[in-house]
Amino acid sequence: MRVTARGRIVGWMLAVVGLALSVSIFATWTILLNRLDSRMESELSNEAEKLRRYAATALDPQTGQPVAEVAKLMSGYLAYNPPDRWETFFSIVDGSPDKESGVTPPADLDGDGAFVARLAAATEPVDGRWESAAGTVWYAVIPVTVAGDPRQGHFVIALFYDQYRDDTTDAIRVLSLTALGALALAGTAGWFVAGRVLAPVRLVRQTAEQISDSSDLTRRLDVPGNDDVAALAATFNTMLDRLEQAFAVQRHFVDDAGHELRTPITVIRGHLELMGDDPADRAETLALVTDELDRMNRMVDDLLTLAKAEQPGFLDIDEVELADLTVSVVAKARALGDRRWRVDEVAEARMPADRQRLTQAMMQLTANAVRHTGDGDLIAVGSAVRDGSVELWVRDSGPGVPPADRERIFRRFMRGSGRTGGHDGAGLGLAIVTTIAEAHGGTVTVVDAPGGGACFVMTIPLREML
């Protein structure tokens, strides 16, 4: 049997609340019983004190003189002071029961010979406990004498403890029933609240199941608030964003690779199938196959670069000296073609960046410039800091880029017109440049170069090293 999180939360809540209520009820029961014992003792003392005060001032209503008989004294007090509920008073004269209070007690104590004999033997005020037909009785017996009356009197105060205790028990029973009702109400409210709190968690699970079944990574969770559950939903949405991006990169990589690699594979297969025994034909075919394989190798490397750009760790950030970067790019690019290489400007600044990736981007731009220029044409490289950003550019004196193509050429496998070089690229170079610039938080644009041609500019925000 599977126990849900909602059930566990409500179960633990009820256990804690039930334990707290049980401890509270038990503590209340104990306190009330202790207070009952104190009340019983106080009541016995109070009644004894009232009897003493009455005896000190009692007068015979017939003569107006102090009472001269012990029996009349105690009878007068019984008439003067009726007992409270669960109390009874009676008098003993010369060892025999005499008078009893008018309220019928739960048990006939003055008819209990053993109890009366025990009380009549008292020579001084005594209190104690007695088990009667109505339960435990707390009693106090006070010897009473009157000057001139030889008879011995005893006044008895009896409190029926079990009846008092039953009242307390009834109160505790009502409290317990109320606590059970409160516990049931708390359980119902807790079930509802737990359901509301865990609703986003269930939504996460359901969304994950739907994604697993349909591979639809576009679904997102909408959980308002700023609590832990909302944070969980936000984290889940972030994870879905990364998964969707990763799957998109994977699909693009597979689609791009399948699209672009199919052509050279077809070319290689066709020439190998048609290759004859003639040595010249074989040499020509092998040269063509080798060239196609080289192109495939470059294409795979470019695709891998684009795929890695979407993954963490694509950049290895370090401090880059822009002047040194600019000069080194020109020095490396001279081997790409017989051109008039020039350094336009160098920025005397440093920035946190990935030197190798920036060099890769600049070399892609210079290679692109070589493909669109001829021998002796101008290619210039420069760097500068303007308006809080670093600008790295490569310009050439080639045919330039038509305005209609200036956005399209930065997409994957998009080739511009006006090539003058012999190498036909795969259309990934400028996409790699764009990816590297965006990884640094920048952009790539192409504008008309002064004097004609194209000028490709990478603009990267200038940040300080942490």
Side-chain angles (χ1 to χ4, degrees), residues 328-343:
S328 66
V329 167
V330 174
K332 295 175 181 178
R334 291 183 183 277
L336 297 177
D338 185 13
R339 305 292 188 269
R340 288 188 295 122
W341 296 96
R342 179 185 299 173
V343 176

Side-chain angles (χ1 to χ4, degrees), residues 73-112:
L73 175 65
M74 290 187 293
S75 297
Y77 182 72
L78 288 174
Y80 166 77
N81 183 38
D84 295 332
R85 187 187 181 195
W86 310 132
E87 295 180 356
T88 188
F89 305 149
F90 65 92
S91 60
I92 302 173
V93 179
D94 285 342
S96 300
D98 183 34
K99 300 293 183 179
E100 184 181 12
S101 56
V103 179
T104 303
D108 186 15
L109 297 179
D110 60 349
D112 187 341

Side-chain angles (χ1 to χ4, degrees), residues 237-311:
N237 287 338
T238 303
M239 181 191 71
L240 289 179
D241 292 339
R242 295 180 62 184
L243 286 176
E244 183 179 15
Q245 185 179 23
F247 273 89
V249 171
Q250 183 184 40
R251 284 195 299 269
H252 290 159
F253 180 83
V254 173
D255 293 343
D256 294 344
H259 176 268
E260 291 299 321
L261 294 178
R262 188 177 294 114
T263 299
I265 291 175
T266 302
V267 171
I268 291 173
R269 175 179 293 176
H271 281 80
L272 289 178
E273 290 176 352
L274 297 176
M275 184 176 63
D277 295 331
D278 182 59
D281 181 54
R282 292 172 63 88
E284 182 181 354
T285 300
L286 289 176
L288 186 145
V289 167
T290 300
D291 183 67
E292 288 297 312
L293 289 175
D294 290 340
R295 189 163 72 91
M296 288 174 62
N297 184 63
R298 288 193 300 271
M299 192 182 306
V300 170
D301 289 341
D302 291 344
L303 288 172
L304 288 175
T305 299
L306 292 172
K308 291 177 181 178
E310 306 295 338
Q311 306 299 324

Side-chain angles (χ1 to χ4, degrees), residues 43 156 189 210 216 222 313 337 352 371:
E43 187 67 19
V156 181
Q210 292 174 2
D216 180 14
D222 183 16
R371 285 194 294 270

Side-chain angles (χ1 to χ4, degrees), residues 446-460:
V446 58
V447 296
D448 292 330
C455 180
F456 289 83
V457 182
M458 278 198 306
T459 304
I460 300 174

Side-chain angles (χ1 to χ4, degrees), residues 39-336:
R39 176 186 171 189
M40 300 291 281
E41 295 174 355
S42 176
E43 187 67 19
L44 291 175
S45 300
N46 183 52
E47 292 298 336
E49 182 61 27
K50 286 195 293 184
L51 175 61
R52 292 189 183 94
R53 289 199 302 267
Y54 176 82
T57 59
L59 298 176
D60 190 330
Q62 296 178 352
T63 64
Q65 299 296 318
V67 178
E69 297 179 8
V70 68
K72 185 176 291 188
L73 175 65
M74 290 187 293
S75 297
Y77 182 72
L78 288 174
Y80 166 77
N81 183 38
D84 295 332
R85 187 187 181 195
W86 310 132
E87 295 180 356
T88 188
F89 305 149
F90 65 92
S91 60
I92 302 173
V93 179
D94 285 342
S96 300
D98 183 34
K99 300 293 183 179
E100 184 181 12
S101 56
V103 179
T104 303
D108 186 15
L109 297 179
D110 60 349
D112 187 341
F115 184 50
V116 172
R118 179 176 181 176
L119 299 176
T123 58
E124 59 182 16
V126 176
D127 59 44
R129 315 286 188 272
W130 184 263
E131 294 299 326
S132 69
T136 303
V137 174
W138 287 42
Y139 69 88
V141 57
I142 304 170
V144 179
T145 58
V146 176
D149 188 349
R151 292 180 297 177
Q152 179 68 37
H154 292 83
F155 188 82
V156 181
I157 305 165
L159 308 178
F160 292 91
Y161 178 80
D162 285 356
Q163 279 65 35
Y164 282 103
R165 181 177 178 133
D166 288 344
D167 288 344
T168 302
T169 301
D170 290 341
I172 293 298
R173 186 178 295 111
V174 172
L175 179 62
S176 300
L177 293 176
T178 304
L180 286 177
L183 190 63
L185 182 61
T188 303
W191 183 264
F192 174 75
V193 172
R196 292 291 301 273
V197 171
L198 293 176
V201 178
R202 290 195 301 272
L203 184 59
V204 170
R205 177 181 58 81
Q206 294 169 359
T207 302
E209 290 176 350
Q210 292 174 2
I211 291 174
S212 177
D213 294 338
S214 64
S215 298
D216 180 14
L217 296 176
T218 61
R219 293 179 57 86
R220 295 295 183 270
L221 303 178
D222 183 16
V223 181
N226 55 358
D227 56 5
D228 291 341
V229 177
L232 172 63
T235 302
F236 187 77
N237 287 338
T238 303
M239 181 191 71
L240 289 179
D241 292 339
R242 295 180 62 184
L243 286 176
E244 183 179 15
Q245 185 179 23
F247 273 89
V249 171
Q250 183 184 40
R251 284 195 299 269
H252 290 159
F253 180 83
V254 173
D255 293 343
D256 294 344
H259 176 268
E260 291 299 321
L261 294 178
R262 188 177 294 114
T263 299
I265 291 175
T266 302
V267 171
I268 291 173
R269 175 179 293 176
H271 281 80
L272 289 178
E273 290 176 352
L274 297 176
M275 184 176 63
D277 295 331
D278 182 59
D281 181 54
R282 292 172 63 88
E284 182 181 354
T285 300
L286 289 176
L288 186 145
V289 167
T290 300
D291 183 67
E292 288 297 312
L293 289 175
D294 290 340
R295 189 163 72 91
M296 288 174 62
N297 184 63
R298 288 193 300 271
M299 192 182 306
V300 170
D301 289 341
D302 291 344
L303 288 172
L304 288 175
T305 299
L306 292 172
K308 291 177 181 178
E310 306 295 338
Q311 306 299 324
F314 175 66
L315 298 180
D316 184 11
I317 302 298
D318 199 358
E319 190 175 54
V320 176
E321 177 66 52
L322 294 176
D324 181 62
L325 172 68
T326 306
V327 173
S328 66
V329 167
V330 174
K332 295 175 181 178
R334 291 183 183 277
L336 297 177

